[in-house]
Amino acid sequence: MAEEFVRVATEVTNVTTARSIGLAELVLLLLVIVCCAYAITKALLLGQKKRSLLLIVGPASSGKTTLFKQLQYGEAPSSTVTSVVPNEEDCRVRQGEGDQGQTVRVVDYPGHVKLRSGCDAYLQRAKKIVFVTDSLVYNDSDSVREAAGFLFSVLANPGVLRHRVPVFIACNKSDRMNAFSVEFVKRRLEKEIDVLLSTVGGLSDTKGGGDDLVNITSVGLGEPFKLANCLSKVSSGAMSALKGNLKTLKPYLTAA
Amino acid sequence: MLDYFSIFTLGGSVLWSHEWNGLVGNPINALVEECLIDQRATKKVFKYSSQSVSYTLKWTQNNELGLVFVAVYRSVLTVPYVEELLKRVKNRFEYVFLDSQRDYGDFSSTFQDVLARCEEERTSRVAEVSSSEEGEGEASSPSSLDIEKDAVMVEKPVEDAVNDLSLGEDTGGEEASQKVSGGFDTDKLKALRGKKKGNKSEKPQACATSSKKPSSSTGKAKKGGRKWGRWGNMDDGEQLDYTNESERLENANVEKATGKSMMDEDEDEGEVVVKETSWLGGMMKNLNKKINVSGQAVLEESDVKPILETLKDKLISKNVAEEVAQKIVNTVESNMVGKKLTSFTRVTTAVTKAVESALTQILSPGRNINILQEVEASRREGEPYSIVFIGCNGVGKSTNLAKVAFWLMQHGMKVMIAACDTFRSGAVEQLRTHTQRLGVELFERGYEKDPAAVAKEALKKAKESRCDVLLIDTAGRMQDNEPLMRALSKLINMNNPNLTLFVGEALVGNEAVDQLTKFNNRLIELSSQDQPHKIDGIVLTKFDTIDNKVGAALSMVYISGAPVIFVGCGQQYSDLRRLNVKQIVSVLLS
């Protein structure tokens, strides 16, 4: 992009010098150059991959957008629909009532399976990851499988793995009577990831590459998978984004 | 009437919504998934059904602000003014929309206003149309279909009025007037019905007057000065006059245009001078269009279209079905127009990026299908996992079935193969050769048997002998062969396989559309179940023969909505691959 711009800029100068330059045009040109410099620095700054985000991920309709709005405004939205684009906003996270709190950049990435490939770019920039999961669906094996697969892909992301980005498993919708307990959710996820690990790496893809079995834990691959053994620190807690009960989540958000 | 109207952002928060009747299921989420995430944004009408209630959803979007407007109503009703309503609500909402605002409760009154106006105008337009029709009368007998449609349109307000009445008496005056207009409409309806019966020649004029009398008293007072001729003939006359005039105007324009161009030819120098002064400005504008410096340029159709045309040609040259390429390009266009570019992006780059992400979204599987994981799950339940392979003749069903069997065996699964091709001679023998080489069990009942029954027996046998996976081979069939399609549907409905895989050649071009559409449709139409089995996945065969013409993958996935699960790319049992979405996308756009 930068070369392209230099090329265009020289083109502009060449053309200008070829003709007699009026004062007005010179000023205009200067203005253009200043604007360009500003835009270039801006673009460069944006391109920098700083790990500063609080990333909210999780399967579709688990309550990510509700949690995001809860963090943004301190109250839940009336209703939400399936997100298509990520939400991104600076939010002030407070520990308690009188607390001044700290400003965090929060991103809520859509959970639909088809959009998952775009998640990597955000995982690269994440400082903390909240994995939201619907604790009502843990009697449905398909949903559990999807959640486990997603969680594993987050934990096995090279960037997450390298920087040991801490992950919080937020068991949402705990206000409902039929919500499963955090322990149960964790156990199901561990079990499902275990199955997943035993089936990873079969077919190579059309490019010739295959997914290698990555060890995301500190113990050997033969051991049963435990979230506690993960290289990235995994914590968990029940919460209700709709009712605003984020007690278990707050310490994780405010921790350094 | 409408059941639900909603305004929400692409980010997923509902800004404003109104519910008339409770919705069954979640049609809005289905719409978002189908139209926005699955890249079918050109589809402006969406059907959704859940628990025997079917809805029609119409929607529109604002790309600049990232807003979506949806109206939901029952499919059995016709709500003719929905498009108009959406357009107007969109216009009105754009004014009140603020990025920081989250409560739009006060929009309700505006909405009710717009809705009432739309309903009203529709009623009056129907009256207008019918009156002019009556005027034409015998001259050009309007098709009965048209009348039918109008009649339905008229019926709407009547129903509304009745609804309102039954609801209670909170708004006295309004209701009364509506009731009156309702009465007038029934009159009209009767008139129309009568006319439809064939007594057209029988005093159409009288009909017109009788139906119009009450309307001119109530309707006119309400609308305040809206002219809709006392006599149909008058309207017609005006219409005719107008066209004449416009024609005349056009002629004048043509004359003017020619005159000017001659002038230009003479006074060439003057033109040059003008150009000289605006030289830099023109260039800047041009530059800003090409590489957006200021970050303010809003994309217009004319910016996007030529780029998309070249991209479409590129896709077609990669063997993507023309229809599919066109639809994808249209979707991207409708998503791009009105968007603001970020600083320092070329229009070309932005459009290419949009197409790229659209293609990625299309090719990415919508449901995570990890066959090994699913087999593992059903093994724990003690049930064999069944996979049916369907497809046209000679695409490589049996060969790739054998490859899949080989792959499953490598993962320690106990596999059984069922020969349900009882149609083509030699099919069973072909499979037997494979099973002997692979060392797996073959279930066969010879030829001339009902394949559905054979599959059923095979399932039972597989369960008895504790097999993990049952692979069911079917006869190849062309999509237009009705008896064979029925047989296939029966096989699938009777046995409820866990996975239905469509086997298709990577060589196929435009034909892919027809094949997959018909296979999928026949499976759905002929199904006796509430949730019909569709094609769950695609096996793309002969991938090693096509070089960079990988378009069939895109066509098939777009048409069926099912992901490519296996890619067959060679003559060995081990030549089975997964699709690398990134690679395919980059090849398609290279």
Side-chain angles (χ1 to χ4, degrees):
Chain A
M1 195 171 62
E3 293 104 284
E4 207 170 74
F5 200 81
V6 170
R7 189 178 56 75
V8 175
T10 38
E11 224 177 77
V12 172
T13 7
N14 285 346
V15 177
T16 332
T17 41
R19 304 193 179 220
S20 57
I21 313 167
L23 188 67
E25 280 168 16
L26 192 74
V27 170
L28 247 172
L29 198 71
L30 270 173
L31 251 172
V32 169
I33 290 169
V34 169
C35 285
C36 294
Y38 168 74
I40 286 178
T41 39
K42 203 175 140 192
L44 283 178
L45 277 178
L46 272 181
Q48 248 177 23
K49 291 198 167 69
K50 272 196 296 181
R51 291 194 164 267
S52 57
L53 297 182
L54 170 69
L55 182 62
I56 305 175
V57 292
S61 63
S62 53
K64 293 175 299 300
T65 307
T66 310
L67 174 62
F68 175 82
K69 292 285 162 193
Q70 186 69 254
L71 291 173
Q72 190 183 0
Y73 297 123
E75 65 175 47
S78 52
S79 65
T80 55
V81 296
T82 309
S83 307
V84 183
V85 296
N87 292 305
E88 193 168 345
E89 204 67 53
D90 283 326
C91 299
R92 195 159 270 275
V93 182
R94 289 184 184 82
Q95 181 75 267
E97 268 309 306
D99 193 18
Q100 207 29 264
Q102 53 198 35
T103 310
V104 195
R105 189 97 181 139
V106 184
V107 172
D108 151 41
Y109 193 81
H112 196 273
V113 196
K114 284 216 167 213
L115 301 170
R116 214 151 280 178
S117 59
C119 192
D120 282 0
Y122 286 96
L123 285 172
Q124 292 299 333
R125 290 163 55 202
K127 191 178 169 209
K128 290 174 186 174
I129 298 168
V130 177
F131 183 85
V132 182
T133 181
D134 181 349
S135 43
L136 303 178
V137 299
Y138 276 77
N139 50 0
D140 174 44
S141 55
D142 279 345
S143 311
V144 180
R145 215 173 295 145
E146 201 205 322
F150 197 175
L151 179 62
F152 181 77
S153 71
V154 169
L155 289 170
N157 179 283
V160 174
L161 213 51
R162 196 176 332 117
H163 291 91
R164 307 276 196 272
V165 182
V167 178
F168 184 87
I169 301 174
C171 306
N172 196 14
K173 311 191 187 176
S174 66
D175 54 306
R176 299 275 286 274
M177 286 290 286
N178 48 348
F180 288 93
S181 72
V182 179
E183 273 315 304
F184 184 80
V185 168
K186 269 168 72 179
R187 250 198 336 267
R188 284 302 308 268
L189 285 173
E190 281 171 349
K191 207 170 152 198
E192 215 43 71
I193 290 179
D194 232 4
V195 176
L196 186 78
L197 283 171
S198 68
T199 61
V200 149
L203 293 176
S204 55
D205 62 31
T206 42
K207 209 177 172 186
D211 41 19
D212 299 321
L213 202 54
V214 248
N215 190 0
I216 60 166
T217 60
S218 52
V219 294
L221 271 173
E223 303 282 319
F225 178 83
K226 285 273 175 286
L227 286 167
N229 292 339
C230 281
L231 292 173
S232 309
K233 188 173 174 290
V234 181
S235 44
S236 55
M239 64 147 202
S240 166
L242 194 69
K243 294 279 181 289
N245 180 6
L246 308 177
K247 253 182 258 140
T248 53
L249 182 65
K250 282 280 164 72
Y252 171 78
L253 296 182
T254 45
Chain B
M1 288 293 101
L2 291 180
D3 275 10
Y4 186 70
F5 195 99
S6 170
I7 304 171
F8 58 88
T9 63
L10 287 177
S13 24
V14 177
L15 297 178
W16 183 88
S17 67
H18 188 86
E19 197 169 357
W20 284 269
N21 296 311
L23 294 178
V24 182
N26 201 335
I28 304 281
N29 276 0
L31 170 90
V32 171
E33 277 162 32
E34 171 94 22
C35 295
L36 292 167
I37 295 180
D38 241 6
Q39 301 295 323
R40 286 173 170 84
T42 42
K43 197 168 143 189
K44 291 296 175 200
V45 183
F46 175 71
K47 304 262 180 203
Y48 173 84
S49 58
S50 162
Q51 297 167 24
S52 76
V53 185
S54 47
Y55 293 107
T56 301
L57 289 86
K58 290 195 176 167
W59 63 288
T60 181
Q61 68 188 120
N62 178 323
N63 292 322
E64 194 183 338
L65 305 173
L67 299 175
V68 182
F69 303 80
V70 189
V72 186
Y73 57 92
R74 305 235 170 176
S75 296
V76 285
L77 301 173
T78 340
V79 188
Y81 52 79
V82 174
E83 277 97 355
E84 186 65 28
L85 177 72
L86 281 169
K87 211 171 89 192
R88 288 191 192 178
V89 169
K90 185 170 143 188
N91 284 339
R92 295 291 280 271
F93 197 76
E94 277 161 12
Y95 279 112
V96 296
F97 178 73
L98 278 174
D99 238 345
S100 53
Q101 197 176 333
R102 56 202 154 111
D103 187 30
Y104 291 90
D106 49 349
F107 187 70
S108 294
S109 57
T110 320
F111 179 82
Q112 293 299 350
D113 213 40
V114 175
L115 180 65
R117 184 102 48 84
C118 282
E119 280 177 5
E120 210 171 88
E121 276 177 25
R122 171 51 62 168
T123 337
S124 63
R125 198 170 317 151
V126 169
E128 214 171 306
V129 167
S130 57
S131 65
S132 68
E133 232 166 51
E134 273 159 30
E136 280 166 28
E138 294 95 314
S140 61
S141 61
S143 67
S144 62
L145 207 96
D146 275 353
I147 298 178
E148 188 98 280
K149 214 165 73 193
D150 288 337
V152 172
M153 285 166 183
V154 178
E155 240 164 335
K156 285 288 92 66
V158 183
E159 204 177 84
D160 201 17
V162 171
N163 273 349
D164 276 3
L165 271 176
S166 61
L167 269 172
E169 336 142 78
D170 22 7
T171 50
E174 272 280 315
E175 214 167 80
S177 70
Q178 244 183 1
K179 199 173 129 198
V180 173
S181 72
F184 134 64
D185 279 325
T186 12
D187 264 359
K188 174 137 296 248
L189 197 66
K190 272 180 202 151
L192 277 168
R193 288 258 166 82
K195 200 174 142 200
K196 217 171 78 189
K197 268 174 198 151
N199 40 8
K200 255 185 281 176
S201 53
E202 212 188 283
K203 51 174 181 177
Q205 210 65 288
C207 260
T209 37
S210 73
S211 62
K212 213 141 308 139
K213 241 176 203 159
S215 67
S216 53
S217 57
T218 58
K220 224 172 197 173
K222 228 160 122 193
K223 254 147 277 157
R226 190 186 161 83
K227 271 188 206 161
W228 40 289
R230 193 168 288 259
W231 310 107
N233 291 349
M234 202 171 91
D235 249 332
D236 267 1
E238 262 176 29
Q239 198 78 25
L240 228 83
D241 210 30
Y242 179 71
T243 36
N244 272 349
E245 191 161 41
S246 77
E247 228 173 61
R248 235 182 291 132
L249 268 172
E250 216 169 58
N251 282 340
N253 271 343
V254 169
E255 269 167 37
K256 244 186 240 163
T258 44
K260 204 179 178 186
S261 80
M262 270 151 78
M263 228 158 74
D264 274 0
E265 254 175 28
D266 287 342
E267 290 179 295
D268 230 347
E269 279 163 43
E271 188 70 13
V272 169
V273 173
V274 173
K275 264 190 183 152
E276 189 79 8
T277 46
S278 66
W279 160 76
L280 191 63
M283 206 184 69
M284 280 312 297
K285 200 177 156 199
N286 213 0
L287 191 76
N288 204 13
K289 268 272 145 76
K290 273 193 184 139
I291 309 166
N292 172 35
V293 180
S294 56
Q296 287 304 314
V298 169
L299 283 176
E300 281 161 32
E301 202 182 320
S302 57
D303 304 332
V304 182
K305 203 136 204 174
I307 305 167
L308 282 174
E309 276 307 307
T310 50
L311 283 172
K312 187 185 117 192
D313 291 341
K314 210 178 254 176
L315 288 180
I316 291 173
S317 77
K318 293 291 183 327
N319 208 14
V320 176
E322 201 183 333
E323 192 187 329
V324 173
Q326 185 63 53
K327 273 187 185 157
I328 291 171
V329 161
N330 287 348
T331 302
V332 173
E333 188 189 317
S334 74
N335 283 338
M336 290 290 284
V337 171
K339 245 190 194 160
K340 270 190 185 141
L341 278 183
T342 44
S343 307
F344 270 97
T345 29
R346 272 164 164 258
V347 179
T348 326
T349 325
V351 173
T352 315
K353 260 218 179 98
V355 173
E356 198 182 310
S357 72
L359 295 183
T360 313
Q361 276 180 32
I362 292 167
L363 285 169
S364 302
R367 178 166 82 91
N368 233 343
I369 298 185
N370 182 338
I371 292 182
L372 291 172
Q373 208 179 347
E374 285 179 24
V375 171
E376 197 65 42
S378 78
R379 169 149 71 178
R380 266 178 279 160
E381 285 161 24
E383 290 286 328
Y385 188 86
S386 50
I387 308 177
V388 176
F389 290 71
I390 61 173
C392 294
N393 308 70
V395 290
K397 278 181 302 304
S398 309
T399 313
N400 282 282
L401 177 134
K403 286 184 193 172
V404 172
F406 180 74
W407 172 67
L408 288 168
M409 284 170 68
Q410 277 189 326
H411 284 271
M413 306 289 176
K414 195 177 175 203
V415 183
M416 184 192 241
I417 295 176
C420 293
D421 183 353
T422 55
F423 187 69
R424 179 174 64 91
S425 48
V428 175
E429 284 71 21
Q430 184 191 356
L431 270 184
R432 183 170 294 127
T433 315
H434 280 308
T435 51
Q436 276 166 1
R437 297 184 75 189
L438 291 168
V440 300
E441 202 178 331
L442 175 73
F443 185 91
E444 54 107 348
R445 283 286 177 269
Y447 298 95
E448 294 298 326
K449 286 266 171 54
D450 178 16
V454 177
K456 184 131 206 150
E457 278 178 60
L459 257 173
K460 221 168 114 191
K461 181 79 192 300
K463 197 174 177 185
E464 273 165 20
S465 55
R466 305 194 139 271
C467 282
D468 301 318
V469 190
L470 177 71
L471 303 177
I472 301 170
D473 189 28
T474 64
R477 62 204 77 207
M478 294 314 284
Q479 63 272 22
D480 294 313
N481 190 327
E482 185 65 23
L484 280 179
M485 288 310 285
R486 277 184 188 280
L488 181 67
S489 169
K490 186 182 168 197
L491 188 150
I492 287 173
N493 277 319
M494 215 165 114
N495 297 297
N496 286 323
N498 298 74
L499 205 64
T500 309
L501 295 182
F502 178 85
V503 185
E505 287 177 313
L507 304 162
V508 79
N510 287 323
E511 173 74 2
V513 179
D514 192 47
Q515 276 181 16
L516 265 160
T517 321
K518 286 199 175 135
F519 262 93
N520 227 354
N521 284 349
R522 292 318 279 157
L523 285 188
I524 295 168
E525 282 162 20
L526 296 173
S527 171
S528 50
Q529 289 156 345
D530 289 340
Q531 281 213 323
H533 282 278
K534 281 192 292 187
I535 292 169
D536 297 310
I538 293 165
V539 182
L540 202 61
T541 63
K542 312 186 187 176
F543 199 73
D544 49 333
T545 61
I546 50 160
D547 194 29
N548 68 353
K549 299 210 181 304
V550 294
L554 184 67
S555 310
M556 287 187 188
V557 172
Y558 188 82
I559 294 295
S560 65
V564 173
I565 295 183
F566 297 112
V567 179
C569 56
Q571 305 302 318
Q572 305 295 318
Y573 282 133
S574 55
D575 286 331
L576 196 66
R577 299 265 170 96
R578 281 182 297 124
L579 194 75
N580 185 324
V581 173
K582 265 190 195 146
Q583 182 211 8
I584 299 291
V585 171
S586 72
V587 170
L588 281 171
L589 292 175
S590 65

